[in-house]
Amino acid sequence: MIERFENFDLEKELAVRNRKARGFVPVALKADGSEVMIPVVMVIGKEDGPLVVSEGCAHGDEVEGAEGIVAAYEALDPEKMKGSFVGVPVLNTEAFVRSNRAGERDMVGQDMNRIFPGDPAGTLSHRVARFYFDNFVRKADGLISMHGGGRNLALMPVSLYQNYGDGISARSKEMAYAMGFDSVWQNNYCNGPDGILDENAYLAGVPAITAEIGGQVSRLKYRESDPGRIAKGIINVLRVFGIIDEPVEKHDIAIDIEMSYITNKTGGLHHPIKKVGETVKEGEVVSTITDIFGNELEQIRSPFDGYVMGVWVTPVVDPFGWVYMLGKPVK
């Protein structure tokens, strides 16, 4: 049964144990009389315990997380859980229905994962972000924020955690490795409020990771397998918290890195040379930019020895954007 959760109260929902529930939370009324609603899935364990929360589609074109969260919901058995899993498959529904990164119902377009913790008096995106942050994230013992390559990025699967040498960072690191993706990304700087969800979760005392997988470039090939990897990773994170009483599955992570975004100075046609997963040497040319006549305008070079983690694949690039994500190995 798909429910309608009026006046949603997560604590009251979690108090009714040993069940699964799914439905929609209404958050706003649109001009045509339809509603902006947030889908929610809940697996509430037989016994009380920690809560892990996950959301997908803060960027509406990154759909793998939505399917992976639902796959985890379907696979979990509340009878065997000491604690709960709550998922929001699609947080930014207005962007999701258009397969866009950002929604179109704000006065000025908003990237939802750049405005957390949101503003209860702001535009629609700000209000949805704040509703999710206050009613889900702050009440969680751990957060998995699902992202991907979307329309424009070829991406190596990676899990990011905040790395500041404290207990929250240590638990976040456990979560990142438990996701079992191809690489782990240490984030050593925090932009603070009005920014990225996992950073704001850290500031609120909640261990959090951003797990990125899939995108338009690889979606056809991995249409079925990527959601399965996400579901498997989520379930393994639940083991980290003891929600599922099983040993945490260990994974051989191929690359442990710090990430750098490599920017271009000149707009034009982007010609990637190095592909995702390949190694690069300091000073090596990773791509070129030409004008419409084929004249070379710029060479993009790697600033260090490392790995190609992501490539901007849209042929036309604007000046002073970023075209590569390169990872520097950490000890």
Side-chain angles (χ1 to χ4, degrees):
M1 181 177 69
I2 298 177
E3 301 181 50
R4 179 183 173 89
F5 298 111
E6 294 279 5
N7 303 313
F8 182 78
D9 187 325
L10 182 56
E11 293 176 355
K12 288 183 178 179
E13 295 292 339
L14 296 178
V16 184
R17 309 220 60 82
N18 197 23
R19 66 188 178 102
K20 285 186 171 183
R22 59 181 180 170
F24 290 94
V25 178
V27 294
L29 182 67
K30 294 189 282 189
D32 62 3
S34 63
E35 293 178 295
V36 177
M37 298 195 292
I38 299 174
V40 178
V41 296
M42 297 181 286
V43 187
I44 303 168
K46 182 178 181 179
E47 298 183 57
D48 193 13
L51 168 65
V52 170
V53 169
S54 182
E55 98 288 332
C57 285
H59 296 144
D61 61 341
E62 299 172 5
V63 300
E64 286 78 7
E67 294 185 297
I69 288 168
V70 172
Y73 166 81
E74 296 289 350
L76 288 168
D77 182 358
E79 185 77 23
K80 300 177 181 179
M81 291 168 56
K82 187 176 182 180
S84 301
F85 169 70
V86 173
V88 174
V90 178
L91 182 59
N92 193 345
T93 55
E94 293 303 297
F96 171 75
V97 297
R98 295 172 175 81
S99 294
N100 288 340
R101 181 179 177 90
E104 297 178 356
R105 293 190 182 275
D106 302 308
M107 183 175 294
V108 177
Q110 301 289 335
D111 181 329
M112 189 174 285
N113 201 36
R114 298 298 183 273
I115 60 173
F116 281 102
D119 183 352
T123 61
L124 178 62
S125 292
H126 277 91
R127 289 173 187 254
V128 171
R130 187 55 174 264
F131 180 87
Y132 178 62
F133 197 82
D134 287 345
N135 291 280
F136 292 85
V137 177
R138 290 189 189 276
K139 299 177 182 181
D141 296 288
L143 171 70
I144 304 169
S145 183
M146 289 303 314
H147 287 266
R151 287 181 171 181
N152 299 315
L153 182 65
L155 180 72
M156 177 181 287
V158 59
S159 297
L160 176 152
Y161 72 96
Q162 305 301 315
N163 180 43
Y164 305 109
D166 56 11
I168 300 173
S169 297
R171 178 47 62 95
S172 300
K173 182 177 181 179
E174 288 184 83
M175 295 168 63
Y177 274 86
M179 279 302 294
F181 286 1
D182 299 7
S183 52
V184 168
W185 170 1
Q186 293 184 12
N187 190 45
N188 300 309
Y189 55 90
C190 187
N191 293 321
D194 299 322
I196 296 172
L197 177 55
D198 60 24
E199 296 178 359
N200 281 271
Y202 169 83
L203 293 173
V206 179
I209 61 173
T210 292
E212 304 224 21
I213 190 171
Q216 196 69 22
V217 175
S218 61
R219 193 161 285 153
L220 181 62
K221 184 175 182 180
Y222 299 110
R223 181 69 173 78
E224 301 302 328
S225 62
D226 279 350
R229 289 187 70 181
I230 293 167
K232 185 177 180 180
I234 289 172
I235 291 169
N236 205 33
V237 171
L238 298 186
R239 296 187 182 108
V240 170
F241 284 88
I243 297 172
I244 298 176
D245 187 17
E246 296 173 353
V248 178
E249 292 184 3
K250 303 298 183 182
H251 301 278
D252 293 326
I253 303 298
I255 304 171
D256 195 340
I257 56 95
E258 295 175 352
M259 195 79 79
S260 292
Y261 291 86
I262 309 304
T263 60
N264 56 300
K265 297 178 181 178
T266 306
L269 294 174
H270 185 224
H271 303 273
I273 298 170
K274 303 295 288 188
K275 298 178 181 179
V276 171
E278 293 183 343
T279 58
V280 292
K281 296 293 184 181
E282 182 178 349
E284 184 176 4
V285 177
V286 296
S287 67
T288 61
I289 295 176
T290 67
D291 63 19
I292 194 64
F293 302 105
N295 299 308
E296 185 176 290
L297 303 175
E298 184 179 359
Q299 293 183 338
I300 309 298
R301 296 179 181 271
S302 174
F304 50 73
D305 294 349
Y307 299 90
V308 177
M309 305 299 297
V311 182
W312 197 260
V313 296
T314 305
V316 179
V317 294
D318 290 322
F320 306 108
W322 62 267
V323 289
Y324 266 81
M325 297 165 63
L326 299 182
K328 178 184 292 186
V330 296
K331 296 181 181 179

